[in-house]
Amino acid sequence: MARILGIETSCDETGIAIYDGEHGLLSHALHSQIALHNLYGGVVPELASRDHVKRIIPLINNCFAQAQIDKSTIDAIAYTAGPGLNGALLVGASIANGLGFCLDKPVIPIHHLEGHLLSPLLGQHKPQPPFIALLASGGHSQIIMVEKIGKYRLLGDTLDDAAGEAFDKTAKLLGLPYPGGSHIAALAKQGIDAYKLPRPMLHSNDLNFSFSGLKTAVSILIDKIKIKQELTLEIKHNIAKSIEEAITDVLVKKSMLAIKKIGINRLVISGGVSANLTLRDKLNKIENIEVFYPPQNLCTDNGAMIALAGHTRYLAATYNYSFVVNPRWQLSEL
Ligand SMILES: Nc1ncnc2c1ncn2[C@@H]1O[C@H](COP(=O)(O)OP(=O)(O)OP(=O)(O)O)[C@@H](O)[C@H]1O
Ligand SMILES: [Mg+2]
């Protein structure tokens, strides 16, 4: 058992956490830069790095204060080394290595997607490998075979937009704030699947995704409606429900296909889209499979998943001490 400080700075969230092998998550703190980047319509890498610099030390202090432990009691420091924005990653890497140097503790570089993949281990219901994982986030839609922790085989990927990106882009067409997934989900609660949007590659019989056509379909739908009438709240509810149904139907169908092809009935869902309750509902209703999710508040980027991944690597002693960042790191390179 060990106690690990986790540092996540791959994009627009500064996430810090302390994970203890015996007692679980001792504390976590998160600062989101959404408001900062909203002014520019997307993440501005230089501003992201500067904001991480500003937030990271107060958040680390806050985590140690919350956990009521001294910095010297940690066994190692884990930080996201990639993939992500180079400057943003360097902030986390620098602080992790600086702290490690001062405290004389090992520093463990973590793959951001391994953090997402293992985040269901932060929940009550913990998956044991081997399992199939659906990683559905803002930047990725992948189906991965997890043979054991650290051994990942990519079975399917998106050919264009990720599932979270599809939520975000269609949400923008509805005039909703970024990131749009949770806003679509909130509107969808009062809607019906009135528009039967396309389910891209539903019957392709492989494990790949393609979501970019969905935003075109939604854009055409909105234009058509607007010729005849205003976009009323009721129509927005129904469009949101139709988007949510289309995306979640594809995610469920492909996950089930992976289970059938591989013959393993344990499924892990992670990444920001795994917070979607309609997706969870659909999967929970399927018989003869076991489904695992991260806790609802730890689906999007956070430091806890990095601390936890660091903990598994620390115990397995599969880490090195190097000061690295790799903005284009592939999970299959692990
Ligand atoms: N309830 C929800 N329903 C659907 N999508 C959601 C929900 N909550 C968050 N999302 C989506 O999750 C995404 C963010 O997830 P996450 O933080 O895991 O992605 P990321 O870190 O940007 O991408 P990556 O990890 O691939 O680099 C956004 O696209 C957001 O719209
Ligand atoms: Mg992420």
Side-chain angles (χ1 to χ4, degrees):
M1 293 295 165
R3 186 178 281 177
I4 312 289
L5 172 69
I7 298 178
E8 155 63 37
T9 62
S10 66
C11 190
D12 57 348
E13 260 116 13
T14 320
I16 308 293
I18 301 167
Y19 181 83
D20 182 287
E22 200 178 333
H23 300 105
L25 195 59
L26 298 186
S27 62
H28 76 111
L30 189 78
H31 175 77
S32 166
Q33 303 176 357
I34 287 172
L36 172 71
H37 300 293
N38 254 343
L39 290 171
Y40 306 93
V43 177
V44 184
E46 177 64 23
L47 294 184
S49 312
R50 289 186 206 177
D51 200 66
H52 287 308
V53 168
K54 203 155 79 184
R55 309 284 174 185
I56 194 162
I57 290 177
L59 284 176
I60 290 173
N61 284 334
N62 174 335
C63 266
F64 279 102
Q66 261 187 62
Q68 298 183 331
I69 56 167
D70 191 78
K71 291 190 181 72
S72 62
T73 65
I74 56 167
D75 295 294
I77 301 153
Y79 71 97
T80 304
L85 302 170
N86 203 17
L89 291 168
L90 279 168
V91 177
S94 306
I95 290 286
N97 279 276
L99 254 180
F101 181 72
C102 292
L103 298 171
D104 198 20
K105 305 286 179 189
V107 176
I108 309 173
I110 295 295
H111 195 293
H112 180 80
L113 297 185
E114 184 175 49
H116 277 304
L117 264 190
L118 301 184
S119 60
L121 292 169
L122 291 162
Q124 296 294 322
H125 187 41
K126 299 182 201 303
Q128 285 304 314
F131 55 75
I132 307 281
L134 168 71
L135 203 155
S137 61
H140 294 83
S141 291
Q142 297 188 332
I143 297 188
I144 296 160
M145 170 71 212
V146 177
E147 280 157 29
K148 58 180 187 174
I149 291 183
K151 188 145 189 244
Y152 310 116
R153 186 155 52 94
L154 187 64
L155 303 177
D157 205 345
T158 182
L159 305 183
D160 40 58
D161 291 352
E165 203 175 351
F167 271 110
D168 297 338
K169 288 181 175 170
T170 51
K172 195 172 176 189
L173 294 170
L174 284 173
L176 300 170
Y178 176 86
S182 55
H183 298 282
I184 293 262
L187 279 187
K189 272 188 199 156
Q190 294 170 67
I192 53 165
D193 183 8
Y195 299 108
K196 303 286 176 216
L197 291 164
R199 270 80 170 142
M201 295 181 67
L202 193 68
H203 302 295
S204 63
N205 204 34
D206 60 24
L207 299 174
N208 293 326
F209 302 93
S210 166
F211 288 111
S212 69
L214 199 62
K215 65 175 183 294
T216 315
V218 172
S219 170
I220 294 169
L221 172 68
I222 291 175
D223 287 347
K224 269 193 192 159
I225 295 171
K226 276 186 175 167
I227 292 172
K228 293 192 204 142
Q229 65 178 118
E230 288 271 291
L231 273 192
T232 61
L233 196 56
E234 187 189 347
I235 292 174
K236 283 188 180 182
H237 287 153
N238 292 345
I239 297 177
K241 185 66 185 167
S242 302
I243 292 167
E244 193 184 53
E245 285 296 313
I247 297 173
T248 54
D249 271 0
V250 178
L251 294 176
V252 170
K253 174 90 190 253
K254 296 284 176 168
S255 304
M256 289 309 108
L257 185 60
I259 283 178
K260 196 170 149 207
K261 280 181 186 259
I262 303 293
I264 288 176
N265 70 350
R266 265 194 304 280
L267 178 69
V268 157
I269 314 285
S270 62
V273 178
S274 70
N276 188 278
L277 294 179
T278 299
L279 175 66
R280 291 186 178 208
D281 259 16
K282 286 181 182 178
L283 289 166
N284 289 340
K285 283 190 185 129
I286 299 173
E287 285 175 5
N288 300 324
I289 62 163
E290 262 189 296
V291 195
F292 302 85
Y293 311 93
Q296 189 75 22
N297 64 334
L298 298 174
C299 294
T300 50
D301 289 356
N302 62 79
M305 67 186 197
I306 303 303
L308 177 114
H311 184 259
T312 61
R313 293 221 159 247
Y314 180 82
L315 293 189
T318 49
Y319 59 91
N320 56 48
Y321 297 81
S322 58
F323 188 156
V324 289
V325 297
N326 187 348
R328 296 185 187 280
W329 202 3
Q330 300 291 319
L331 199 54
S332 54
E333 290 168 23
L334 279 177

